[in-house]
Amino acid sequence: RPDDAEKDMVYWNQMWDVELRHGFRLENFPFDHQNLTLELNLSDSRTFDLFYLVVNGVQFRRTVLDLNEWTLHVPKIARQSPKHRHVNIELCVSRKPGYYLW
């Protein structure tokens, strides 16, 4: 790690529109939940030892929060090894059984 005299900080706020695809485990349908993992990596070998990848929050568009069939739980941010280059964002969604059962 750099010593205090060498520490600088750059704050970068990034927004993406992404479409994710994931095979769902349906053994417990309609009482199932799914764990979706987004893997973020610093991948440029020329610079990845110069920066630390830090994710301190996840925000969603309002349309994502208005899912009739699903409940979206609070995302978890998990640092991976090596910690300065890899971060996983874990999203858990639970199906609302009442959407299918009356």
Side-chain angles (χ1 to χ4, degrees):
R1 281 194 103 130
D3 62 16
D4 288 339
E6 296 177 359
K7 288 183 182 177
D8 290 322
M9 180 177 175
V10 174
Y11 179 79
W12 180 18
N13 190 14
Q14 180 71 42
M15 184 173 106
W16 294 291
D17 283 328
V18 297
E19 181 177 319
L20 306 172
R21 297 180 193 274
H22 181 73
F24 284 179
R25 298 180 53 116
L26 299 174
E27 293 89 357
N28 296 319
F29 177 86
F31 304 99
D32 59 313
H33 70 276
Q34 307 296 328
N35 294 310
L36 314 169
T37 302
L38 305 173
E39 298 177 0
L40 304 178
N41 298 299
L42 293 178
S43 59
D44 188 341
S45 62
R46 295 170 297 170
T47 60
F48 60 40
D49 283 330
L50 301 175
F51 300 99
Y52 286 78
L53 177 60
V54 177
V55 176
N56 66 357
V58 177
Q59 294 178 309
F60 297 100
R61 286 182 185 258
R62 179 168 293 173
T63 55
V64 172
L65 300 176
D66 293 334
L67 300 172
N68 293 328
E69 182 180 351
W70 298 95
T71 298
L72 178 62
H73 301 280
V74 176
K76 296 178 184 172
I77 299 170
R79 299 189 72 156
Q80 303 299 312
S81 183
K83 292 188 181 289
H84 72 287
R85 291 195 326 223
H86 302 288
V87 175
N88 286 355
I89 299 172
E90 299 171 4
L91 305 174
C92 181
V93 292
S94 299
R95 194 179 306 268
K96 296 177 184 175
Y99 188 80
Y100 296 94
L101 307 171
W102 296 274

